[in-house]
Amino acid sequence: MVDEPKEKSLMLFGRDVSKIPCFRNSVLYGIGGGLSCGLVRFMLTSHTLKSVNFSVYSFSLITLGYWIQCRYEYSKKKFEINKLQEMLKAHSVLEGTDDPDIIQSQLGTRPVDV
C-alpha cells in the first residue's frame, strides 16, 4: 500500500489554524496592509525604525480590525443559518397540517396562502 502524505498544518495553542474561520484572510490582509503602510511611511520620512514600528502597529490594527469584523459577520450568518434550519425542521414536521393555530405556534408566523 502506498502511504498518502499527510498535510502538515500549523498548530497554534493546540488548534489547527486552517480550521479557524477568518484567520487566514485576517493575517493576509494584515501583512499586506502593514507592509504597505510601512513602505509608504519610509518613503515619506526615511526613518527606518519609525517606519518598521508603524508597519508592525498597522499590521496589528488591520489584523485585529478585520478579524473582529469577519467574526461578527460569521456569527451573524451562523445564527441565521441555525434559525433557518430550525424553521425547516418545524416545517417538515407540520407539512400537510391545515390548522393555522398549530402552524403559528410552531413557526411563529401565519401560513402563507399560495
Side-chain angles (χ1 to χ4, degrees), residues 8 16 19-20 33 36 49 66-67 76-77 95-96 101 108:
K8 292 189 177 185
D16 186 9
K19 306 278 190 239
I20 301 173
S36 300
L49 185 59
Y66 188 81
W67 172 266
K76 217 165 63 168
K77 285 180 186 176
E95 191 172 349
D101 294 329

Side-chain angles (χ1 to χ4, degrees), residues 57-85:
Y57 296 146
S58 60
F59 162 76
S60 303
L61 187 66
I62 292 169
T63 302
L64 185 64
Y66 188 81
W67 172 266
I68 290 170
Q69 182 267 340
C70 183
R71 288 298 290 202
Y72 175 73
E73 293 296 324
Y74 175 79
S75 297
K76 217 165 63 168
K77 285 180 186 176
K78 190 173 180 180
F79 176 76
E80 291 295 323
I81 288 171
N82 288 340
K83 189 175 173 183
L84 185 62
Q85 285 177 342

Side-chain angles (χ1 to χ4, degrees), residues 27-114:
V27 171
L28 287 176
Y29 283 128
I31 289 171
L35 184 63
S36 300
C37 290
L39 286 174
V40 168
R41 173 87 182 229
F42 179 72
M43 296 300 258
L44 294 175
T45 63
S46 297
H47 293 112
T48 308
L49 185 59
K50 288 183 181 180
S51 299
V52 171
N53 287 340
F54 188 74
S55 179
V56 171
Y57 296 146
S58 60
F59 162 76
S60 303
L61 187 66
I62 292 169
T63 302
L64 185 64
Y66 188 81
W67 172 266
I68 290 170
Q69 182 267 340
C70 183
R71 288 298 290 202
Y72 175 73
E73 293 296 324
Y74 175 79
S75 297
K76 217 165 63 168
K77 285 180 186 176
K78 190 173 180 180
F79 176 76
E80 291 295 323
I81 288 171
N82 288 340
K83 189 175 173 183
L84 185 62
Q85 285 177 342
E86 289 176 15
M87 290 179 71
L88 286 172
K89 284 181 186 177
H91 184 283
S92 67
V93 167
L94 297 173
E95 191 172 349
T97 304
D98 291 332
D99 189 8
D101 294 329
I102 295 174
I103 294 172
Q104 183 179 7
S105 67
Q106 290 293 322
L107 294 179
T109 60
R110 297 295 297 171
V112 178
D113 293 328
V114 181

